[in-house]
Amino acid sequence: MLCDDPDVSETVQASARRLRELLSDLAAEHEALDERVSALEAPAWSTPTPATGWSIADEVSHLAYFDESAELALRDRAGVEAHFEELLAALGDEPDVALGRRVGPPALLAAWRAARGAMLAAAEAVAAAEPARVPWYGLEMSLTSFVTARLMETWAHGQDIADALGLAPLVSPRLRHVIHLGVAARTYAFRVHGVEDPGDPVAVRTRNPSDEADVWTFGPPGSVEILTGSALDLALVFTQRRHPSDTGVRAEGATAALFLSVAQAFGGPAGSGRSPMAR
């Protein structure tokens, strides 16, 4: 159906453009992590990561499993609801890491590549159709939020792998998506932690790691409640890959400090976070 309202048409086109850029960023995040793990010798895949009980193979297996689940959510709503029920019933068995414990690194890497490729193709097909809400474990998300969540999870598990190998974090302008999701998940984070949100607006300020002149502001810019820090540190805190005290993230105001204490960009139960590092 054609739209005769030029303002609406421009809005739709801008939204489609942002989604294409986001899908490109997700593919780039996949490739950046792939480059690291594909270079590993087979024994290194058993290296423990900071995620208790998980190896590098487990981290990649988890990504492959949920990228496959995401592809199903995008193309088969009825099928994915049944899949979600089966998964929730089997969570104690860790079905997401089963593949990585059953096959060798080459097969696991091939499975992840196939799963993420199919997911990207399904997302592009949905993006070309009518705007849609994507079902995801009892929730419904916009396609943009859904893709952002996949990028956040890829980066976060990639950070576990980087820590396991003693490598530097993957730092790029794509961290903007991770921070955006952490800010957008504020209400959810307070709720799952069982903490009342005072409701005061909180602004989050940082800079593009590739261009210090490019200031990123999330939330109302005039707020007196503020979180500041490098893009990397904010992403590490929002994904609970570092304790806030081990980063340069600073809170100005009581509500900002409370938000910092519960922040999590991912779904599911309240994350336990990481303990402060020994100094």
Side-chain angles (χ1 to χ4, degrees):
M1 180 182 294
L2 296 176
C3 179
D4 296 327
D5 187 331
D7 292 336
V8 172
S9 178
E10 289 179 8
T11 299
V12 170
Q13 290 176 12
S15 177
R17 184 168 57 253
R18 287 195 298 271
L19 184 55
R20 287 195 299 271
E21 292 170 353
L22 180 56
L23 286 169
S24 177
D25 282 349
L26 174 55
E29 200 65 46
H30 288 153
E31 290 299 329
L33 178 55
D34 189 305
E35 185 177 348
R36 287 188 159 180
V37 297
S38 63
L40 296 177
E41 298 291 338
W45 285 73
S46 299
T47 304
T49 72
T52 305
W54 275 22
S55 66
I56 289 175
D58 292 334
E59 300 274 358
V60 175
S61 183
H62 173 90
L63 288 174
Y65 184 92
F66 283 102
D67 282 345
E68 185 175 3
S69 298
E71 186 265 340
L72 184 61
L74 288 162
R75 67 172 174 79
D76 184 357
R77 188 183 188 93
V80 81
E81 294 294 352
H83 167 73
F84 291 159
E85 292 178 6
E86 293 173 2
L87 174 62
L88 292 173
L91 276 180
D93 299 327
E94 293 191 294
D96 51 328
V97 298
L99 177 64
R101 296 176 181 180
R102 188 175 69 248
V103 304
L108 175 57
L109 188 56
W112 178 43
R113 287 170 174 168
R116 75 193 200 220
M119 176 190 63
L120 286 171
E124 289 170 355
V126 172
E130 292 293 324
R133 304 288 290 179
V134 184
W136 196 244
Y137 297 94
L139 302 173
E140 285 198 344
M141 308 168 68
S142 70
L143 181 57
T144 299
S145 294
F146 187 77
V147 174
T148 304
R150 297 311 307 147
L151 190 153
M152 176 276 299
E153 188 165 11
T154 302
W155 184 84
H157 289 285
Q159 179 59 41
D160 289 341
I161 292 170
D163 284 336
L165 297 172
L167 299 176
L170 289 171
V171 179
S172 76
R174 298 188 296 273
L175 290 177
R176 184 185 186 104
H177 304 305
V178 179
I179 298 167
H180 167 78
L181 198 61
V183 173
R186 168 181 166 170
T187 299
Y188 177 83
F190 271 101
R191 184 171 70 249
V192 296
H193 281 83
V195 177
E196 183 178 354
D197 186 345
D200 304 305
V202 176
V204 177
R205 296 176 188 163
T206 187
R207 295 179 184 273
N208 183 338
S210 295
D211 180 2
E212 282 293 303
D214 183 13
V215 178
W216 294 345
T217 300
F218 305 83
S223 176
V224 297
E225 300 280 343
I226 306 168
L227 288 179
T228 59
S230 71
L232 173 60
D233 282 353
L234 284 164
L236 288 168
V237 168
F238 283 141
T239 58
Q240 295 192 352
R241 263 51 189 182
R242 290 289 187 278
H243 190 275
S245 66
D246 290 316
T247 71
V249 177
R250 297 293 177 262
E252 298 178 23
T255 299
L258 191 60
F259 177 33
L260 182 60
S261 72
V262 301
Q264 69 175 60
F266 52 88
S272 59
R274 298 278 160 82
S275 299
M277 295 180 180
R279 296 188 180 278

